[in-house]
Amino acid sequence: TSIQAGSIAVTGTSATDTITSVDLSNSIVLFNGQWTGFVVTEDSLNTRVSLTNSTTVTANRNSSSGTINVNYTVIEFSGGINFIEQNTGVNISDGNDYVDVALSQSVDLAKTAIFYGGYETTRTSSEGTSSVSLLNTNTVRVHAQNGAGSVTTSFTVLEFS
């Protein structure tokens, strides 16, 4: 198992960080939060992370106001993994509370964890919150507070052996 942690300074709508190469079938990226020294709106503050390829972590947000620093951890497991599925962005449109996302295969709920990857939003007030949950053996529900604008959320599902 290897662990790489980092921080990405996002000055536009996305930014990347280069990591030592990992096997995507055994790796996840964890969103460790964000911070800024600026007063900003929801659409420029909230970010999400994804493992774009074997050497790149990407942080995204909707607006480019100010600089947002996003922290992440990449874990590459040396074994003990049955299944990993990373979703790099589920969009919940204006006026909707949730979206159900079908997994590419069924998982054993007793051996499966879901990891929240953060979110970005077009909303400028505090209506932009989101969360993820395993609804059943083959569905993830992505929740967002109903409001004007859209919310895009990332997550990773990991089934252990």
Side-chain angles (χ1 to χ4, degrees):
T1 301
S2 70
I3 298 174
Q4 301 177 61
S7 184
I8 303 171
V10 185
T11 57
T13 56
S14 72
T16 61
D17 198 15
T18 301
I19 59 171
T20 302
S21 185
V22 296
D23 177 352
L24 292 175
S25 67
N26 289 324
S27 301
I28 62 172
V29 60
L30 302 176
F31 173 72
N32 296 338
Q34 76 250 340
W35 61 275
T36 183
F38 300 94
V39 176
V40 294
T41 57
E42 291 286 316
D43 61 338
S44 59
L45 171 64
N46 291 299
T47 55
R48 60 188 175 91
V49 294
S50 57
L51 195 52
T52 312
N53 59 48
S54 64
T55 60
T56 308
V57 176
T58 301
N60 295 93
R61 66 179 175 161
N62 188 65
S63 176
S64 59
S65 177
T67 299
I68 304 298
N69 298 286
V70 181
N71 298 320
Y72 69 87
T73 301
V74 174
I75 302 172
E76 181 180 27
F77 297 92
S78 57
I81 305 301
N82 282 341
F83 173 72
I84 290 180
E85 183 166 323
Q86 176 182 244
N87 191 301
T88 58
V90 175
N91 185 271
I92 300 175
S93 60
D94 185 11
N96 293 306
D97 292 328
Y98 66 89
V99 171
D100 289 339
V101 180
L103 297 173
S104 61
Q105 71 180 49
S106 292
V107 296
D108 180 344
L109 294 177
K111 298 179 180 179
T112 302
I114 186 166
F115 298 95
Y116 180 68
Y119 74 95
E120 62 179 300
T121 184
T122 61
R123 300 170 183 178
T124 57
S125 68
S126 61
E127 301 175 323
T129 60
S130 74
S131 68
V132 295
S133 60
L134 280 167
L135 191 59
N136 55 46
T137 60
N138 59 6
T139 308
V140 171
R141 178 161 284 175
V142 180
H143 305 265
Q145 183 177 347
N146 192 337
S150 66
V151 174
T152 303
T153 303
S154 297
F155 66 85
T156 301
V157 173
L158 173 65
E159 182 184 40
F160 293 93
S161 300

